[in-house]
Amino acid sequence: MTPGEAVSQAKNAQLLPVYLVAGEERLLRDEVIGALRDASLAGGVAAFNEDRFTAGEVDVEKVIAAARTVPMMARRRFVLVRGAERWDAKEAETSPFDRLAEYEASPVDSTCVVIAASKIDGRRKLALAARKQGFLVVCDPLDDRALPRWIIDRFSAKGHAIDRELAELLAALAGPGLSPLDDAIERLSLYVGPGTPIDEEAIATSVARVRTDDTWALVDAVGARDLGRAMRTLADAYDPRERGLPLLGALAWSMRQLARYQAALEAGASPD
């Protein structure tokens, strides 16, 4: 199950009794957990119907006992276990994951149990059952091809339009991690104002002090083997406070545009 599918289930109040939310992308994990929590506790008193645990600091039997507790003045309880990967590091006669797998085989429908981990051994009974029965939510980092679509959808949800090329530029400037990207998207949204499209000037102003004109000038100077002009352009564009990382991202984006252009020419497209 994707994070989007889990969030959609939560919004439609179609909750499963157990979710295994695993993956190294923390932003996705937190969004899924937040959506499941809100849906579970909707219409009830959260203080009476929510339990949060950290693996390694609590016995798994306490987690199961909380899961089997009857809701109080609510339709459903919410039980969260964070850092479940810590249980993988401990050797025990009976693994906490095996006990949770036993619980999952006969769960309490009035409780939504969420087990969150940055990674989990796929050979565990719980992990095997989660994959087979569809309660595993995979929150892995997005690859380079998926990032622009994620950025476009994120802006769309905030009421802004952005071209795919600019979405690719933003991904190159902010890096592949979703948390820095989400922060950049929030800053851009506040900067341009409600309903305003995102343009290159906004990105250069509020995300990184790198203009694509500078990167194209640098690429052009290198292509012409003009070392002096290349170094002067680099000196103007380089910001030591950012260690040149946004500039490097913008240069990579520029080279991708050139590669696409060359591929299009070879495929028979006109230079225009």
Side-chain angles (χ1 to χ4, degrees):
M1 184 188 313
T2 67
E5 290 169 340
V7 170
S8 180
Q9 280 189 358
K11 290 181 177 178
N12 294 323
Q14 298 175 337
L15 294 174
L16 301 176
V18 178
Y19 287 89
L20 177 58
V21 183
E24 295 183 357
E25 186 49 72
R26 181 167 184 169
L27 180 69
L28 296 179
R29 294 202 315 266
D30 288 347
E31 288 184 345
V32 170
I33 291 168
L36 295 174
R37 177 186 182 275
D38 291 345
S40 298
L41 300 176
V45 182
F48 297 150
N49 296 288
E50 179 179 16
D51 286 292
R52 293 169 175 258
F53 303 102
T54 300
E57 298 178 6
V58 65
D59 188 84
V60 69
E61 299 303 329
K62 189 171 182 179
V63 175
I64 294 173
R68 295 196 182 281
T69 302
V70 177
M72 181 180 292
M73 296 182 292
R75 296 178 57 190
R76 187 177 278 107
R77 284 177 50 76
F78 179 75
V79 176
L80 171 65
V81 181
R82 287 191 181 274
E85 66 275 2
R86 297 182 182 181
W87 278 331
D88 261 334
K90 292 187 175 182
E91 294 185 4
E93 223 174 279
T94 302
S95 165
F97 290 112
D98 292 342
R99 288 289 293 121
L100 288 170
E102 292 172 7
Y103 168 82
E104 186 279 327
S106 181
V108 176
D109 291 335
S110 60
T111 301
C112 179
V113 177
V114 178
I115 303 142
S118 60
K119 59 177 66 176
I120 188 170
D121 189 340
R123 297 168 296 180
R124 296 286 188 186
K125 290 180 182 178
L126 183 66
L128 292 171
R131 193 174 296 278
K132 183 177 180 180
Q133 298 174 30
F135 63 89
L136 172 64
V137 185
V138 180
C139 298
D140 289 336
L142 301 183
D143 62 31
D144 291 343
R145 292 171 296 179
L147 277 177
R149 182 73 258 170
W150 184 86
I151 292 170
I152 291 169
D153 291 343
R154 205 75 167 181
F155 274 122
S156 179
K158 293 178 179 293
H160 306 286
I162 183 172
D163 292 340
R164 183 177 179 87
E165 283 192 7
L166 288 182
E168 292 176 353
L169 174 61
L170 181 59
L173 292 173
L178 295 190
S179 292
L181 266 175
D182 191 54
D183 177 68
I185 290 169
E186 183 65 23
R187 277 185 281 143
L188 279 164
S189 177
L190 294 171
Y191 175 76
V192 302
T196 306
I198 305 299
D199 58 18
E200 185 183 318
E201 181 183 355
I203 293 175
T205 302
S206 60
V207 177
R209 291 174 290 278
V210 176
R211 298 181 303 119
T212 55
D213 286 350
D214 293 332
T215 60
W216 283 122
L218 183 55
V219 169
D220 182 58
V222 172
R225 304 293 194 271
D226 189 337
L227 179 60
R229 180 157 61 94
M231 294 303 291
R232 288 193 299 273
T233 306
L234 176 61
D236 290 339
Y238 179 80
D239 189 335
R241 291 170 295 181
E242 297 169 331
R243 296 179 298 159
L245 293 178
L247 177 60
L248 181 61
L251 285 170
W253 174 81
S254 300
M255 297 307 295
R256 281 197 294 270
Q257 306 311 307
L258 288 175
R260 286 176 177 170
Y261 177 77
Q262 182 65 31
L265 289 181
E266 292 174 356
S270 71
D272 289 342

